[in-house]
C-alpha cells in the first residue's frame, strides 16, 4: 500500500485503497461538479472507488475555469530556520482495508509507504501556458507539475517493434527521436502532470521483472513485442494512468532509480523521495533501509 505526497503547491495523491485527508488527496479529481470523478486514469491508479477525494480549489468565489493561476494550492509554512523551530505537517489518511500487526492474522498485515515529489515551484508567471513549439514552451509543459484544468489524461504515442527490432541503428534512433519529439510537443498545458512522459516511456521500454509475484495473472507482450514494466499483476493489460509506471507503483523498494531528472530551477527534480515506511513486521526494516534510494544510489545501463 503506497500513497504519495506532492509538495511545491501541489496536491496529495493516493494509491491502493487509501483516502488521503491531509494534505488533501485528489483521487484523480480536479474540478468535477459531481460526487464521482470523471476520469480514474487521469494521473495515477488509485485503485479506489470513483467517489471520494478533493477537487482542486478556486482562489476566489469565481471558478478558476481554464486559468490555472486562479486555482488555489495549499501552502505550508515552517516556523523558523533552525531544527528547534521547524514545523511539522500532520499526514492523515483512511485505509479502505484493515491493517494488522505481526501478531495478527496475515490477512490484515499491511505496509504503508509514504513518498513525496518535489519541485522548485515558481510564481504564477512560471506556469506553462499555450501549446507553443519553442524549446522552452515544450520543456515547461513536460516538467512543470500541475493539477491541470481538465479531467483528460495526457497524450502518449506508444513505441512499436521497429524501434526495437530494426537492424539499422540509425533508423531505430530516428524513429525513436521522431516519436518522442512528437510526444513531447503533444503534452497538454491544461492537463495534470506528475511523472514525466520520458519516465513512462522508459517504463514501457524496460522489461518487467519476472521474479515478482504474479499469482495467476498473465502479462502478455506489449507494443514492442515483449512484456514491459507497464504490465504487472495488478495491471496485466498494460492500462495507462497518466505517466505513472505500474511496476514502480506496485513494488517497493523499486530496483530502478527513482531520483532521476536533470536539475532545473523551476521544475521537478525527482520522482520519488521516500518519507516513511510503516509496518508491523520489524524484520522488513533492514530490507527497506537497504533498498531505499535515500540511502543507496541506483543506476541503469544505457546504450551510448
Amino acid at each position: 500500500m503506497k500513497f504519495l505526497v506532492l509538495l511545491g503547491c501541489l496536491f496529495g495523491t493516493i494509491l491502493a485503497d487509501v483516502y488521503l485527508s491531509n494534505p488533501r488527496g485528489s483521487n484523480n479529481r480536479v474540478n468535477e461538479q459531481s460526487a464521482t470523478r470523471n476520469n480514474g486514469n487521469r494521473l495515477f491508479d488509485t485503485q479506489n472507488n470513483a467517489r471520494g477525494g478533493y477537487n482542486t480549489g478556486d482562489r476566489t468565489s469565481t471558478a478558476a475555469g481554464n486559468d490555472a493561476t486562479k486555482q488555489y494550492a495549499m501552502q505550508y509554512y515552517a516556523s523558523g530556520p533552525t531544527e528547534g523551530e521547524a514545523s511539522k505537517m500532520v499526514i492523515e489518511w483512511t485505509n479502505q482495508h484493515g491493517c494488522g500487526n505481526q501478531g495478527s492474522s496475515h490477512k490484515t498485515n499491511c505496509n504503508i509507504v509514504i513518498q513525496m515529489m518535489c519541485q522548485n515551484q515558481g510564481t504564477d508567471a512560471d506556469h506553462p501556458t499555450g501549446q507553443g513549439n519553442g524549446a522552452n514552451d515544450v520543456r515547461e509543459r513536460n516538467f512543470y507539475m500541475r493539477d491541470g484544468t481538465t479531467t483528460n489524461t495526457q497524450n502518449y504515442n506508444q513505441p512499436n517493434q521497429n524501434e526495437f527490432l530494426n537492424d539499422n541503428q540509425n533508423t531505430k534512433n530516428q524513429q525513436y527521436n521522431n516519436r518522442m519529439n512528437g510526444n513531447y510537443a503533444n503534452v497538454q498545458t491544461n492537463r495534470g502532470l506528475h511523472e514525466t512522459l520520458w519516465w513512462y516511456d522508459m517504463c514501457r521500454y524496460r522489461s518487467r521483472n519476472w521474479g515478482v509475484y504474479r499469482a495467476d495473472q498473465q502479462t502478455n507482450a506489449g507494443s514492442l513485442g515483449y512484456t514491459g514494466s507497464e504490465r504487472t499483476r495488478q495491471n496485466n493489460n498494460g492500462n495507462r494512468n497518466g505517466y505513472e509506471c505500474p511496476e514502480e507503483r506496485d513494488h517497493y523498494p523499486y530496483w530502478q532509480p527513482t531520483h532521476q531528472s536533470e536539475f532545473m530551477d523551476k521544475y521537478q527534480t525527482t520522482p520519488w523521495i521516500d518519507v516513511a515506511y510503516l509496518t508491523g513486521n520489524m524484520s522488513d526494516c533492514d530490507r527497506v533501509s537497504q533498498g531505499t534510494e535515500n540511502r543507496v544510489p541506483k543506476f541503469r545501463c544505457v546504450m551510448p
Side-chain angles (χ1 to χ4, degrees), residues 200 203 229-230 232 235 239 244-250:
Y200 181 72
C203 181
S229 298
E230 83 280 8
T232 66
N235 196 61
N239 188 50
E244 176 183 66
C245 180
E247 189 178 66
E248 182 272 333
R249 176 198 67 216
D250 290 350

Side-chain angles (χ1 to χ4, degrees), residues 90-119:
V90 176
I91 300 177
E92 297 179 340
W93 69 89
T94 301
N95 301 351
Q96 190 171 342
H97 301 291
C99 260
N101 55 43
Q102 184 67 10
S104 67
S105 167
H106 290 295
K107 293 182 179 179
T108 59
N109 284 350
C110 70
N111 305 312
I112 296 177
V113 180
I114 303 177
Q115 296 178 312
M116 67 180 181
M117 178 188 288
C118 293
Q119 168 169 299

Side-chain angles (χ1 to χ4, degrees), residues 277-289:
Y277 180 77
L278 310 181
T279 180
N281 184 359
M282 296 301 291
S283 65
D284 267 356
C285 293
D286 287 341
R287 176 183 64 86
V288 170
S289 65

Side-chain angles (χ1 to χ4, degrees), residues 31-226:
N31 56 9
E32 286 87 332
Q33 298 183 32
S34 60
T36 57
R37 65 188 177 201
N38 289 351
N39 181 5
N41 301 323
R42 189 173 77 91
L43 287 166
F44 53 94
D45 182 9
T46 69
Q47 300 175 18
N48 286 337
N49 300 322
R51 297 195 176 215
Y54 295 85
N55 278 11
T56 300
D58 302 314
R59 288 190 181 183
T60 68
S61 58
T62 302
N66 294 323
D67 188 349
T69 65
K70 294 182 179 178
Q71 291 175 329
Y72 177 75
M74 295 297 294
Q75 301 181 49
Y76 301 88
Y77 298 92
S79 301
T82 66
E83 183 178 352
E85 298 173 299
S87 298
K88 293 181 174 62
M89 183 176 70
V90 176
I91 300 177
E92 297 179 340
W93 69 89
T94 301
N95 301 351
Q96 190 171 342
H97 301 291
C99 260
N101 55 43
Q102 184 67 10
S104 67
S105 167
H106 290 295
K107 293 182 179 179
T108 59
N109 284 350
C110 70
N111 305 312
I112 296 177
V113 180
I114 303 177
Q115 296 178 312
M116 67 180 181
M117 178 188 288
C118 293
Q119 168 169 299
N120 295 313
Q121 188 78 321
T123 65
D124 289 346
D126 296 318
H127 197 285
T129 58
Q131 289 295 124
N133 291 322
N136 286 337
D137 291 332
V138 173
R139 184 184 182 90
E140 285 182 344
R141 294 201 302 275
N142 278 270
F143 288 98
Y144 197 101
M145 291 189 298
R146 54 191 179 272
D147 292 333
T149 58
T150 174
T151 59
N152 293 333
T153 306
Q154 286 286 0
N155 299 315
Y156 177 70
N157 180 22
Q158 67 183 12
N160 60 60
Q161 292 189 48
N162 288 333
E163 289 184 22
F164 175 65
L165 298 176
N166 196 298
D167 292 332
N168 188 307
Q169 186 63 47
N170 290 333
T171 299
K172 289 196 291 188
N173 292 346
Q174 183 177 13
Q175 290 177 338
Y176 171 81
N177 290 332
N178 288 343
R179 179 180 64 86
M180 288 302 288
N181 287 335
N183 268 332
Y184 292 141
N186 207 21
V187 169
Q188 302 295 299
T189 295
N190 64 352
R191 300 183 187 182
L193 184 78
H194 288 178
E195 296 95 342
T196 64
L197 185 150
W198 179 85
W199 167 268
Y200 181 72
D201 198 69
M202 286 289 292
C203 181
R204 291 290 299 256
Y205 259 94
R206 187 167 57 247
S207 176
R208 68 151 295 158
N209 185 337
W210 291 100
V212 298
Y213 179 67
R214 286 185 296 142
D216 59 352
Q217 297 299 306
Q218 298 298 316
T219 51
N220 298 321
S223 62
L224 285 166
Y226 57 87

Side-chain angles (χ1 to χ4, degrees), residues 3-6 10-15 18-30 42 44 46 48 51-56 74 76 92-93:
F3 67 82
L4 315 171
V5 179
L6 284 79
L10 287 178
F11 44 84
T13 69
I14 43 183
L15 305 178
V18 173
Y19 291 94
L20 185 59
S21 301
N22 188 62
R24 299 181 301 189
S26 71
N27 197 32
N28 267 322
R29 298 179 65 90
V30 60
R42 189 173 77 91
F44 53 94
T46 69
N48 286 337
R51 297 195 176 215
Y54 295 85
N55 278 11
T56 300
M74 295 297 294
Y76 301 88
E92 297 179 340
W93 69 89

Side-chain angles (χ1 to χ4, degrees), residues 254-272:
Y254 196 45
W255 40 89
Q256 289 284 325
T258 56
H259 297 188
Q260 52 180 34
S261 182
E262 58 183 307
F263 178 81
M264 290 172 282
D265 290 341
K266 298 178 183 177
Y267 309 120
Q268 64 170 288
T269 57
T270 48
W272 290 100

